Amino acid sequence: MLMPLFFLLTSAFNVPPVEVTEHFTSIPLSYQVQVLQTEQDISFQEALSAAEKGLFSTPSVGLVFPGGPHYYWAQFNVKNQTTVTKSIFIEVRNAHLNHLEVFEYTGNGFDYASLGKTGDYLNFDSRPINYRFFAFETKLMPGEMRSFLLHTDKFNESIKFPIAIHTGEGFFSTLSNESALLGGYFGIYSLVVLLLLIIVLSKPSLLNISLLFYVVGFSLLAYSNSGMGFQHSWPNMAVFNSLSRSIFASIASVSLMFFAYASLDLNKKRHSTISTFHRIFTLYVFLNALLFIAYYFLVWLQSPYLTHFNVLVLQLPMGAQFFYLMLLSIYLTMTQRKINHLLFLLAISGVALASLVFFFEQIGEPIIDFAQEQIMLGALVFDFAILSSLVGIEFYQIRSRNRSLADSLNKAIVEGAENFLEGQHIERSRLAQQVHDGAGVKLSALQMQLSVLATQDKQQQQKLIQTVSTIAEDIRNYAHNLSPIILEKYGFIDAIEEVVDSLNIEQKALKIIFEHDQSTVHKKNVERELYFICLELINNALKHSEGTEVLIQFTTTSTEWCLQVKDNGEGYDAMMGKNSGIGLQGIHWRLQLLNSQMLTYYKQGIQIHQIKIPYFSDVKA
């Protein structure tokens, strides 16, 4: 009886225990753990018996194992070296283990207890502690040493179950620090998604939409892979965390192929060999993604057909996809030397770095678990930033091209308008000359003939002479308005003074005042437009204001000409569209050509029209 008990005790303690001292907070286990792999599930008592027989061994490459036998028992010991009772937290840093249970026992193993049974195949609320990974709590009395057996499995896949031992202080400190850091990463992911969403809404395209789906898919994959996934939202839905991982990985994988198609300009060479191969490979990735999702649905349904699937075969195309995209971007960068090809290569390199860390983990290289997680999340930030810059560059180039086209169109419109105004001026001058030299001269001759005409009815003769004189004056004014000679010879100030003096003589209902600072307009076309704008505003006041006075003010500054026309009439609200007839529309059209606009408002009984024209007006001098 004593011999079996001796072997049992020595097998239980043939690895050094984790010693909890006064300064101890946390430690990841390595050589302190022995592991047993089995092809069939065994009970706790059978695992103890295997330990008695020395079947447990210390892994040479850490707690990472390839696919194959998928039932595992890990044995380790913890000793409280302090003089107070200590809360001990056993953390298993993998949120995707199928089942997980931790047993604690002392001595010969007859006195044992389960700290809880949980796992990805069970509901989230089965976890002893609400935590992104799996954690179990126990208490050790002063000087007490206790042994633990951890039982887990992962069907048909490689498995890792890094174990860490914490005191209460160490566990909650780690929880707080990691949560803050992970929150920062996912905050960055959310910001990138928001920016891409704005870009997609403003300009939907294959490039923008595919990148949005890629970033969303990969961000949610990282979120669920970190253990912070959607089991929190659906605590009663078993396997949902692993199922969501496969869905998000598939979305990201397929979206990346579409994004590569657009960003590497393969869509512009649809009949090339590379473009054709890429479309075929994209179809292959899409079909494989459907099978990958179907596999986890079968896991969720606990289907007996799972034995016909090898998940490693389904995961292989995802690795091949990144290898293919890296080779493709290297080839295009070397042959075409475009910035978008180089940026895509850098982005894929970031994902390759994350994949390399995962690869080393799969072959058993010891990597600190949280450091590995940081490398992968940081690589995604780098990847998202580079790929988003591709969209940003494309967006900027499109906006630049649109702006250039708009500038060219505006320039063509302005040049056309300038040519139109110049032609209008020439035609006005020609018509004015014809009217003056034709009808004007003939009416003067007719007036002379009437004055020497022998007739007995002198009163009727004078009446006819006066009528002809009035018609001649109207024609002269018409010719003057078409092409004012004073404007062409003496400039804007003299021309407006002549108009004001003439109107004050012809009508008495409205007093017109012209104030100026003797400035000149050194651009002839600007001078003409100002003249006709001023005439239209005066005419508008005469017809519509019903006031008694119009004040015209013309001044200059170091950068612009300023024209202001005021009247004390009833006024109008420019925003309401009143009086926005052909005349005012013509004013606004002329002002557009002068890079200016008119400010119109009614204040304290005064209707004000204010115009400022910059010296650098585009209208040709």
Side-chain angles (χ1 to χ4, degrees), residues 496-497 499-501 503-504 507 510-516 534 538 541-542 548-554 563-568:
I496 294 299
E497 283 183 337
V499 169
V500 169
D501 292 342
L503 289 174
N504 282 331
Q507 56 85 39
L510 198 63
K511 182 181 180 181
I512 304 175
I513 303 171
F514 180 38
E515 297 178 353
H516 57 85
C534 191
I538 295 172
L542 287 170
T548 60
E549 184 176 289
V550 175
L551 174 61
I552 305 167
Q553 294 175 314
F554 179 73
L563 175 66
Q564 193 165 247
V565 179
K566 307 177 183 178
D567 67 75
N568 61 352

PDB file of all heavy atoms in Angstrom, residues 496-497 499-501 503-504 507 510-516 534 538 541-542 548-554 563-568:
ATOM      1  N   ILE A 496     -20.605 108.300 -65.652  1.00  0.00           N
ATOM      2  CA  ILE A 496     -21.689 108.261 -64.666  1.00  0.00           C
ATOM      3  C   ILE A 496     -22.146 109.681 -64.325  1.00  0.00           C
ATOM      4  O   ILE A 496     -23.349 109.938 -64.156  1.00  0.00           O
ATOM      5  CB  ILE A 496     -21.233 107.511 -63.399  1.00  0.00           C
ATOM      6  CG1 ILE A 496     -20.972 106.036 -63.726  1.00  0.00           C
ATOM      7  CG2 ILE A 496     -22.282 107.611 -62.295  1.00  0.00           C
ATOM      8  CD1 ILE A 496     -22.179 105.281 -64.230  1.00  0.00           C
ATOM      9  N   GLU A 497     -21.215 110.639 -64.241  1.00  0.00           N
ATOM     10  CA  GLU A 497     -21.607 112.025 -63.976  1.00  0.00           C
ATOM     11  C   GLU A 497     -22.521 112.551 -65.085  1.00  0.00           C
ATOM     12  O   GLU A 497     -23.519 113.240 -64.817  1.00  0.00           O
ATOM     13  CB  GLU A 497     -20.358 112.905 -63.865  1.00  0.00           C
ATOM     14  CG  GLU A 497     -19.634 112.766 -62.528  1.00  0.00           C
ATOM     15  CD  GLU A 497     -18.445 113.709 -62.429  1.00  0.00           C
ATOM     16  OE1 GLU A 497     -17.932 114.128 -63.489  1.00  0.00           O
ATOM     17  OE2 GLU A 497     -18.026 114.006 -61.289  1.00  0.00           O
ATOM     18  N   VAL A 499     -24.487 110.726 -66.994  1.00  0.00           N
ATOM     19  CA  VAL A 499     -25.784 110.058 -66.854  1.00  0.00           C
ATOM     20  C   VAL A 499     -26.594 110.698 -65.737  1.00  0.00           C
ATOM     21  O   VAL A 499     -27.796 110.972 -65.879  1.00  0.00           O
ATOM     22  CB  VAL A 499     -25.582 108.554 -66.584  1.00  0.00           C
ATOM     23  CG1 VAL A 499     -26.901 107.895 -66.176  1.00  0.00           C
ATOM     24  CG2 VAL A 499     -25.012 107.858 -67.810  1.00  0.00           C
ATOM     25  N   VAL A 500     -25.948 110.943 -64.586  1.00  0.00           N
ATOM     26  CA  VAL A 500     -26.642 111.526 -63.431  1.00  0.00           C
ATOM     27  C   VAL A 500     -27.172 112.918 -63.769  1.00  0.00           C
ATOM     28  O   VAL A 500     -28.335 113.260 -63.472  1.00  0.00           O
ATOM     29  CB  VAL A 500     -25.696 111.571 -62.212  1.00  0.00           C
ATOM     30  CG1 VAL A 500     -26.301 112.407 -61.092  1.00  0.00           C
ATOM     31  CG2 VAL A 500     -25.415 110.156 -61.718  1.00  0.00           C
ATOM     32  N   ASP A 501     -26.333 113.758 -64.396  1.00  0.00           N
ATOM     33  CA  ASP A 501     -26.770 115.112 -64.757  1.00  0.00           C
ATOM     34  C   ASP A 501     -27.948 115.060 -65.723  1.00  0.00           C
ATOM     35  O   ASP A 501     -28.922 115.827 -65.585  1.00  0.00           O
ATOM     36  CB  ASP A 501     -25.608 115.883 -65.393  1.00  0.00           C
ATOM     37  CG  ASP A 501     -24.503 116.187 -64.385  1.00  0.00           C
ATOM     38  OD1 ASP A 501     -24.788 116.110 -63.163  1.00  0.00           O
ATOM     39  OD2 ASP A 501     -23.362 116.468 -64.809  1.00  0.00           O
ATOM     40  N   LEU A 503     -30.177 112.627 -66.129  1.00  0.00           N
ATOM     41  CA  LEU A 503     -31.390 112.131 -65.476  1.00  0.00           C
ATOM     42  C   LEU A 503     -31.978 113.166 -64.530  1.00  0.00           C
ATOM     43  O   LEU A 503     -33.208 113.282 -64.399  1.00  0.00           O
ATOM     44  CB  LEU A 503     -31.082 110.834 -64.716  1.00  0.00           C
ATOM     45  CG  LEU A 503     -30.819 109.600 -65.580  1.00  0.00           C
ATOM     46  CD1 LEU A 503     -30.386 108.417 -64.710  1.00  0.00           C
ATOM     47  CD2 LEU A 503     -32.064 109.220 -66.385  1.00  0.00           C
ATOM     48  N   ASN A 504     -31.147 113.917 -63.840  1.00  0.00           N
ATOM     49  CA  ASN A 504     -31.659 114.952 -62.934  1.00  0.00           C
ATOM     50  C   ASN A 504     -32.375 116.065 -63.699  1.00  0.00           C
ATOM     51  O   ASN A 504     -33.270 116.729 -63.158  1.00  0.00           O
ATOM     52  CB  ASN A 504     -30.521 115.538 -62.101  1.00  0.00           C
ATOM     53  CG  ASN A 504     -30.124 114.622 -60.943  1.00  0.00           C
ATOM     54  OD1 ASN A 504     -30.951 113.870 -60.432  1.00  0.00           O
ATOM     55  ND2 ASN A 504     -28.859 114.683 -60.540  1.00  0.00           N
ATOM     56  N   GLN A 507     -35.928 114.211 -65.192  1.00  0.00           N
ATOM     57  CA  GLN A 507     -36.978 113.878 -64.232  1.00  0.00           C
ATOM     58  C   GLN A 507     -36.674 114.537 -62.889  1.00  0.00           C
ATOM     59  O   GLN A 507     -35.526 114.777 -62.549  1.00  0.00           O
ATOM     60  CB  GLN A 507     -37.115 112.350 -64.088  1.00  0.00           C
ATOM     61  CG  GLN A 507     -35.836 111.626 -63.692  1.00  0.00           C
ATOM     62  CD  GLN A 507     -35.607 111.620 -62.189  1.00  0.00           C
ATOM     63  OE1 GLN A 507     -36.560 111.475 -61.413  1.00  0.00           O
ATOM     64  NE2 GLN A 507     -34.361 111.821 -61.766  1.00  0.00           N
ATOM     65  N   LEU A 510     -36.972 111.831 -58.559  1.00  0.00           N
ATOM     66  CA  LEU A 510     -35.913 111.157 -57.802  1.00  0.00           C
ATOM     67  C   LEU A 510     -34.614 111.931 -57.969  1.00  0.00           C
ATOM     68  O   LEU A 510     -34.124 112.116 -59.087  1.00  0.00           O
ATOM     69  CB  LEU A 510     -35.745 109.720 -58.318  1.00  0.00           C
ATOM     70  CG  LEU A 510     -35.022 108.729 -57.410  1.00  0.00           C
ATOM     71  CD1 LEU A 510     -35.792 108.515 -56.123  1.00  0.00           C
ATOM     72  CD2 LEU A 510     -34.845 107.400 -58.129  1.00  0.00           C
ATOM     73  N   LYS A 511     -34.068 112.403 -56.861  1.00  0.00           N
ATOM     74  CA  LYS A 511     -32.803 113.120 -56.903  1.00  0.00           C
ATOM     75  C   LYS A 511     -31.660 112.111 -56.861  1.00  0.00           C
ATOM     76  O   LYS A 511     -31.599 111.260 -55.979  1.00  0.00           O
ATOM     77  CB  LYS A 511     -32.701 114.073 -55.718  1.00  0.00           C
ATOM     78  CG  LYS A 511     -31.416 114.897 -55.723  1.00  0.00           C
ATOM     79  CD  LYS A 511     -31.362 115.819 -54.503  1.00  0.00           C
ATOM     80  CE  LYS A 511     -30.066 116.630 -54.515  1.00  0.00           C
ATOM     81  NZ  LYS A 511     -29.974 117.516 -53.326  1.00  0.00           N
ATOM     82  N   ILE A 512     -30.743 112.223 -57.825  1.00  0.00           N
ATOM     83  CA  ILE A 512     -29.626 111.281 -57.928  1.00  0.00           C
ATOM     84  C   ILE A 512     -28.337 112.017 -57.584  1.00  0.00           C
ATOM     85  O   ILE A 512     -28.034 113.074 -58.157  1.00  0.00           O
ATOM     86  CB  ILE A 512     -29.540 110.675 -59.337  1.00  0.00           C
ATOM     87  CG1 ILE A 512     -30.880 110.018 -59.711  1.00  0.00           C
ATOM     88  CG2 ILE A 512     -28.404 109.658 -59.414  1.00  0.00           C
ATOM     89  CD1 ILE A 512     -30.942 109.503 -61.122  1.00  0.00           C
ATOM     90  N   ILE A 513     -27.570 111.445 -56.636  1.00  0.00           N
ATOM     91  CA  ILE A 513     -26.313 112.041 -56.179  1.00  0.00           C
ATOM     92  C   ILE A 513     -25.179 111.058 -56.454  1.00  0.00           C
ATOM     93  O   ILE A 513     -25.303 109.860 -56.174  1.00  0.00           O
ATOM     94  CB  ILE A 513     -26.373 112.369 -54.674  1.00  0.00           C
ATOM     95  CG1 ILE A 513     -27.549 113.307 -54.381  1.00  0.00           C
ATOM     96  CG2 ILE A 513     -25.057 112.969 -54.198  1.00  0.00           C
ATOM     97  CD1 ILE A 513     -27.811 113.494 -52.906  1.00  0.00           C
ATOM     98  N   PHE A 514     -24.086 111.563 -56.994  1.00  0.00           N
ATOM     99  CA  PHE A 514     -22.927 110.715 -57.289  1.00  0.00           C
ATOM    100  C   PHE A 514     -21.720 111.231 -56.508  1.00  0.00           C
ATOM    101  O   PHE A 514     -21.295 112.372 -56.678  1.00  0.00           O
ATOM    102  CB  PHE A 514     -22.639 110.725 -58.795  1.00  0.00           C
ATOM    103  CG  PHE A 514     -21.466 109.869 -59.196  1.00  0.00           C
ATOM    104  CD1 PHE A 514     -21.215 108.644 -58.582  1.00  0.00           C
ATOM    105  CD2 PHE A 514     -20.594 110.285 -60.195  1.00  0.00           C
ATOM    106  CE1 PHE A 514     -20.143 107.857 -58.947  1.00  0.00           C
ATOM    107  CE2 PHE A 514     -19.513 109.501 -60.576  1.00  0.00           C
ATOM    108  CZ  PHE A 514     -19.291 108.285 -59.952  1.00  0.00           C
ATOM    109  N   GLU A 515     -21.174 110.367 -55.631  1.00  0.00           N
ATOM    110  CA  GLU A 515     -19.988 110.707 -54.848  1.00  0.00           C
ATOM    111  C   GLU A 515     -18.856 109.765 -55.237  1.00  0.00           C
ATOM    112  O   GLU A 515     -19.068 108.559 -55.376  1.00  0.00           O
ATOM    113  CB  GLU A 515     -20.274 110.577 -53.349  1.00  0.00           C
ATOM    114  CG  GLU A 515     -21.346 111.531 -52.845  1.00  0.00           C
ATOM    115  CD  GLU A 515     -21.637 111.329 -51.362  1.00  0.00           C
ATOM    116  OE1 GLU A 515     -21.086 110.359 -50.777  1.00  0.00           O
ATOM    117  OE2 GLU A 515     -22.413 112.114 -50.795  1.00  0.00           O
ATOM    118  N   HIS A 516     -17.638 110.326 -55.386  1.00  0.00           N
ATOM    119  CA  HIS A 516     -16.498 109.495 -55.780  1.00  0.00           C
ATOM    120  C   HIS A 516     -15.218 110.137 -55.276  1.00  0.00           C
ATOM    121  O   HIS A 516     -15.209 111.286 -54.822  1.00  0.00           O
ATOM    122  CB  HIS A 516     -16.464 109.326 -57.299  1.00  0.00           C
ATOM    123  CG  HIS A 516     -16.415 110.627 -58.044  1.00  0.00           C
ATOM    124  ND1 HIS A 516     -15.244 111.301 -58.301  1.00  0.00           N
ATOM    125  CD2 HIS A 516     -17.420 111.389 -58.569  1.00  0.00           C
ATOM    126  CE1 HIS A 516     -15.510 112.414 -58.956  1.00  0.00           C
ATOM    127  NE2 HIS A 516     -16.830 112.500 -59.132  1.00  0.00           N
ATOM    128  N   CYS A 534     -24.031  99.824 -62.893  1.00  0.00           N
ATOM    129  CA  CYS A 534     -24.514 101.041 -62.239  1.00  0.00           C
ATOM    130  C   CYS A 534     -25.774 101.564 -62.927  1.00  0.00           C
ATOM    131  O   CYS A 534     -26.734 101.982 -62.266  1.00  0.00           O
ATOM    132  CB  CYS A 534     -23.404 102.092 -62.255  1.00  0.00           C
ATOM    133  SG  CYS A 534     -23.750 103.516 -61.210  1.00  0.00           S
ATOM    134  N   ILE A 538     -29.451 102.093 -61.158  1.00  0.00           N
ATOM    135  CA  ILE A 538     -30.160 103.383 -61.213  1.00  0.00           C
ATOM    136  C   ILE A 538     -31.534 103.200 -61.842  1.00  0.00           C
ATOM    137  O   ILE A 538     -32.550 103.707 -61.338  1.00  0.00           O
ATOM    138  CB  ILE A 538     -29.336 104.416 -62.012  1.00  0.00           C
ATOM    139  CG1 ILE A 538     -28.030 104.736 -61.279  1.00  0.00           C
ATOM    140  CG2 ILE A 538     -30.141 105.692 -62.230  1.00  0.00           C
ATOM    141  CD1 ILE A 538     -27.072 105.593 -62.085  1.00  0.00           C
ATOM    142  N   ALA A 541     -33.915 101.603 -59.441  1.00  0.00           N
ATOM    143  CA  ALA A 541     -34.411 102.545 -58.435  1.00  0.00           C
ATOM    144  C   ALA A 541     -35.483 103.461 -59.023  1.00  0.00           C
ATOM    145  O   ALA A 541     -36.500 103.759 -58.377  1.00  0.00           O
ATOM    146  CB  ALA A 541     -33.250 103.362 -57.882  1.00  0.00           C
ATOM    147  N   LEU A 542     -35.271 103.922 -60.268  1.00  0.00           N
ATOM    148  CA  LEU A 542     -36.250 104.800 -60.916  1.00  0.00           C
ATOM    149  C   LEU A 542     -37.593 104.103 -61.100  1.00  0.00           C
ATOM    150  O   LEU A 542     -38.657 104.704 -60.924  1.00  0.00           O
ATOM    151  CB  LEU A 542     -35.712 105.262 -62.275  1.00  0.00           C
ATOM    152  CG  LEU A 542     -34.578 106.305 -62.241  1.00  0.00           C
ATOM    153  CD1 LEU A 542     -33.985 106.484 -63.628  1.00  0.00           C
ATOM    154  CD2 LEU A 542     -35.111 107.644 -61.722  1.00  0.00           C
ATOM    155  N   THR A 548     -37.208 109.044 -52.946  1.00  0.00           N
ATOM    156  CA  THR A 548     -36.972 110.426 -53.382  1.00  0.00           C
ATOM    157  C   THR A 548     -35.504 110.706 -53.655  1.00  0.00           C
ATOM    158  O   THR A 548     -35.177 111.765 -54.186  1.00  0.00           O
ATOM    159  CB  THR A 548     -37.463 111.403 -52.295  1.00  0.00           C
ATOM    160  OG1 THR A 548     -36.744 111.149 -51.075  1.00  0.00           O
ATOM    161  CG2 THR A 548     -38.953 111.238 -52.055  1.00  0.00           C
ATOM    162  N   GLU A 549     -34.623 109.756 -53.309  1.00  0.00           N
ATOM    163  CA  GLU A 549     -33.200 110.043 -53.470  1.00  0.00           C
ATOM    164  C   GLU A 549     -32.422 108.763 -53.725  1.00  0.00           C
ATOM    165  O   GLU A 549     -32.705 107.720 -53.132  1.00  0.00           O
ATOM    166  CB  GLU A 549     -32.661 110.736 -52.214  1.00  0.00           C
ATOM    167  CG  GLU A 549     -31.197 111.170 -52.330  1.00  0.00           C
ATOM    168  CD  GLU A 549     -30.747 111.944 -51.100  1.00  0.00           C
ATOM    169  OE1 GLU A 549     -31.201 113.091 -50.932  1.00  0.00           O
ATOM    170  OE2 GLU A 549     -29.955 111.379 -50.311  1.00  0.00           O
ATOM    171  N   VAL A 550     -31.449 108.861 -54.620  1.00  0.00           N
ATOM    172  CA  VAL A 550     -30.517 107.769 -54.906  1.00  0.00           C
ATOM    173  C   VAL A 550     -29.104 108.298 -54.694  1.00  0.00           C
ATOM    174  O   VAL A 550     -28.758 109.368 -55.208  1.00  0.00           O
ATOM    175  CB  VAL A 550     -30.674 107.244 -56.346  1.00  0.00           C
ATOM    176  CG1 VAL A 550     -29.601 106.195 -56.642  1.00  0.00           C
ATOM    177  CG2 VAL A 550     -32.052 106.654 -56.561  1.00  0.00           C
ATOM    178  N   LEU A 551     -28.300 107.541 -53.933  1.00  0.00           N
ATOM    179  CA  LEU A 551     -26.916 107.928 -53.680  1.00  0.00           C
ATOM    180  C   LEU A 551     -25.998 106.869 -54.285  1.00  0.00           C
ATOM    181  O   LEU A 551     -26.081 105.685 -53.946  1.00  0.00           O
ATOM    182  CB  LEU A 551     -26.649 108.045 -52.180  1.00  0.00           C
ATOM    183  CG  LEU A 551     -25.192 108.315 -51.770  1.00  0.00           C
ATOM    184  CD1 LEU A 551     -24.710 109.653 -52.347  1.00  0.00           C
ATOM    185  CD2 LEU A 551     -25.044 108.297 -50.253  1.00  0.00           C
ATOM    186  N   ILE A 552     -25.109 107.323 -55.191  1.00  0.00           N
ATOM    187  CA  ILE A 552     -24.122 106.436 -55.813  1.00  0.00           C
ATOM    188  C   ILE A 552     -22.759 106.810 -55.246  1.00  0.00           C
ATOM    189  O   ILE A 552     -22.354 107.977 -55.309  1.00  0.00           O
ATOM    190  CB  ILE A 552     -24.120 106.592 -57.346  1.00  0.00           C
ATOM    191  CG1 ILE A 552     -25.530 106.380 -57.908  1.00  0.00           C
ATOM    192  CG2 ILE A 552     -23.130 105.625 -57.981  1.00  0.00           C
ATOM    193  CD1 ILE A 552     -25.674 106.818 -59.350  1.00  0.00           C
ATOM    194  N   GLN A 553     -22.052 105.809 -54.705  1.00  0.00           N
ATOM    195  CA  GLN A 553     -20.727 106.047 -54.130  1.00  0.00           C
ATOM    196  C   GLN A 553     -19.718 105.110 -54.785  1.00  0.00           C
ATOM    197  O   GLN A 553     -19.942 103.896 -54.863  1.00  0.00           O
ATOM    198  CB  GLN A 553     -20.743 105.808 -52.614  1.00  0.00           C
ATOM    199  CG  GLN A 553     -21.609 106.797 -51.849  1.00  0.00           C
ATOM    200  CD  GLN A 553     -21.704 106.451 -50.368  1.00  0.00           C
ATOM    201  OE1 GLN A 553     -21.925 105.299 -50.016  1.00  0.00           O
ATOM    202  NE2 GLN A 553     -21.551 107.453 -49.513  1.00  0.00           N
ATOM    203  N   PHE A 554     -18.624 105.701 -55.261  1.00  0.00           N
ATOM    204  CA  PHE A 554     -17.564 104.896 -55.884  1.00  0.00           C
ATOM    205  C   PHE A 554     -16.236 105.259 -55.230  1.00  0.00           C
ATOM    206  O   PHE A 554     -15.815 106.420 -55.235  1.00  0.00           O
ATOM    207  CB  PHE A 554     -17.494 105.154 -57.388  1.00  0.00           C
ATOM    208  CG  PHE A 554     -16.404 104.368 -58.066  1.00  0.00           C
ATOM    209  CD1 PHE A 554     -16.528 103.001 -58.252  1.00  0.00           C
ATOM    210  CD2 PHE A 554     -15.237 104.995 -58.500  1.00  0.00           C
ATOM    211  CE1 PHE A 554     -15.525 102.272 -58.862  1.00  0.00           C
ATOM    212  CE2 PHE A 554     -14.227 104.266 -59.108  1.00  0.00           C
ATOM    213  CZ  PHE A 554     -14.374 102.898 -59.293  1.00  0.00           C
ATOM    214  N   LEU A 563     -18.304  99.877 -55.281  1.00  0.00           N
ATOM    215  CA  LEU A 563     -19.459 100.612 -55.786  1.00  0.00           C
ATOM    216  C   LEU A 563     -20.638 100.343 -54.865  1.00  0.00           C
ATOM    217  O   LEU A 563     -20.941  99.194 -54.560  1.00  0.00           O
ATOM    218  CB  LEU A 563     -19.799 100.170 -57.213  1.00  0.00           C
ATOM    219  CG  LEU A 563     -21.065 100.788 -57.823  1.00  0.00           C
ATOM    220  CD1 LEU A 563     -20.888 102.295 -58.021  1.00  0.00           C
ATOM    221  CD2 LEU A 563     -21.415 100.109 -59.143  1.00  0.00           C
ATOM    222  N   GLN A 564     -21.314 101.416 -54.441  1.00  0.00           N
ATOM    223  CA  GLN A 564     -22.463 101.282 -53.552  1.00  0.00           C
ATOM    224  C   GLN A 564     -23.585 102.183 -54.061  1.00  0.00           C
ATOM    225  O   GLN A 564     -23.374 103.372 -54.297  1.00  0.00           O
ATOM    226  CB  GLN A 564     -22.074 101.664 -52.122  1.00  0.00           C
ATOM    227  CG  GLN A 564     -23.096 101.262 -51.082  1.00  0.00           C
ATOM    228  CD  GLN A 564     -22.526 101.310 -49.672  1.00  0.00           C
ATOM    229  OE1 GLN A 564     -22.366 100.306 -49.018  1.00  0.00           O
ATOM    230  NE2 GLN A 564     -22.229 102.501 -49.208  1.00  0.00           N
ATOM    231  N   VAL A 565     -24.766 101.593 -54.257  1.00  0.00           N
ATOM    232  CA  VAL A 565     -25.934 102.336 -54.722  1.00  0.00           C
ATOM    233  C   VAL A 565     -27.028 102.185 -53.674  1.00  0.00           C
ATOM    234  O   VAL A 565     -27.441 101.064 -53.360  1.00  0.00           O
ATOM    235  CB  VAL A 565     -26.418 101.824 -56.093  1.00  0.00           C
ATOM    236  CG1 VAL A 565     -27.655 102.607 -56.542  1.00  0.00           C
ATOM    237  CG2 VAL A 565     -25.309 101.943 -57.129  1.00  0.00           C
ATOM    238  N   LYS A 566     -27.499 103.343 -53.125  1.00  0.00           N
ATOM    239  CA  LYS A 566     -28.506 103.343 -52.070  1.00  0.00           C
ATOM    240  C   LYS A 566     -29.708 104.162 -52.518  1.00  0.00           C
ATOM    241  O   LYS A 566     -29.570 105.133 -53.269  1.00  0.00           O
ATOM    242  CB  LYS A 566     -27.953 103.954 -50.777  1.00  0.00           C
ATOM    243  CG  LYS A 566     -26.656 103.357 -50.271  1.00  0.00           C
ATOM    244  CD  LYS A 566     -26.184 104.111 -49.023  1.00  0.00           C
ATOM    245  CE  LYS A 566     -24.854 103.592 -48.522  1.00  0.00           C
ATOM    246  NZ  LYS A 566     -24.377 104.358 -47.347  1.00  0.00           N
ATOM    247  N   ASP A 567     -30.880 103.775 -52.040  1.00  0.00           N
ATOM    248  CA  ASP A 567     -32.067 104.607 -52.238  1.00  0.00           C
ATOM    249  C   ASP A 567     -32.952 104.496 -51.003  1.00  0.00           C
ATOM    250  O   ASP A 567     -32.869 103.521 -50.255  1.00  0.00           O
ATOM    251  CB  ASP A 567     -32.828 104.197 -53.504  1.00  0.00           C
ATOM    252  CG  ASP A 567     -33.444 102.816 -53.408  1.00  0.00           C
ATOM    253  OD1 ASP A 567     -34.471 102.682 -52.705  1.00  0.00           O
ATOM    254  OD2 ASP A 567     -32.916 101.865 -54.030  1.00  0.00           O
ATOM    255  N   ASN A 568     -33.786 105.526 -50.802  1.00  0.00           N
ATOM    256  CA  ASN A 568     -34.648 105.560 -49.615  1.00  0.00           C
ATOM    257  C   ASN A 568     -36.070 105.113 -49.937  1.00  0.00           C
ATOM    258  O   ASN A 568     -37.030 105.566 -49.317  1.00  0.00           O
ATOM    259  CB  ASN A 568     -34.654 106.953 -48.994  1.00  0.00           C
ATOM    260  CG  ASN A 568     -35.187 108.009 -49.968  1.00  0.00           C
ATOM    261  OD1 ASN A 568     -35.418 107.713 -51.146  1.00  0.00           O
ATOM    262  ND2 ASN A 568     -35.381 109.233 -49.492  1.00  0.00           N
TER     263      ASN A 568
END
